[in-house]
Amino acid sequence: MLAIRLDSDTEQRLDALAARTGRTKTFYAREAIEAHLDDLEDFYLAEERLRNFRAGDAIPLADLKAELGLGD
C-alpha cells in the first residue's frame, strides 16, 4: 500500500484522464511509477558502473568492431 500527495494540478489532470478513459487513478499511478522505476534503476546502475570504472577496463572501438564482425 502506498499513499502519495499530489499538487492540485497533477491531481486534476489524473482525475480527467481517469474519467476520460474509464481507468482508475491507481492504474495510471502504477503505470507511471513502473515506467519511471525502470529509468531510475538504469540510471543508478550506469552511475555505479561509471563510479567503479577503471581506465584499463575500456575496450578500444576498433577491437570491439573486430570482435563483432563490423567493418569500418
Side-chain angles (χ1 to χ4, degrees):
M1 184 67 164
L2 174 69
I4 58 172
R5 294 186 200 283
L6 301 172
D7 62 70
S8 61
D9 183 53
T10 302
E11 178 78 21
Q12 289 172 357
R13 291 173 61 199
L14 188 55
D15 282 335
L17 179 62
R20 188 169 51 249
T21 62
R23 301 241 186 200
T24 64
K25 292 190 299 183
T26 299
F27 170 83
Y28 288 112
R30 184 183 315 111
E31 290 289 307
I33 290 169
E34 288 174 359
H36 192 62
L37 192 57
D38 287 342
D39 292 341
L40 285 172
E41 288 169 337
D42 289 345
F43 174 81
Y44 286 114
L45 176 62
E47 189 177 58
E48 179 183 347
R49 288 189 176 165
L50 184 59
R51 219 180 7 259
N52 296 327
F53 178 76
R54 293 181 304 260
D57 292 340
I59 300 171
L61 181 57
D63 293 351
L64 183 58
K65 282 183 173 181
E67 182 179 325
L68 295 174
L70 302 173
D72 289 327

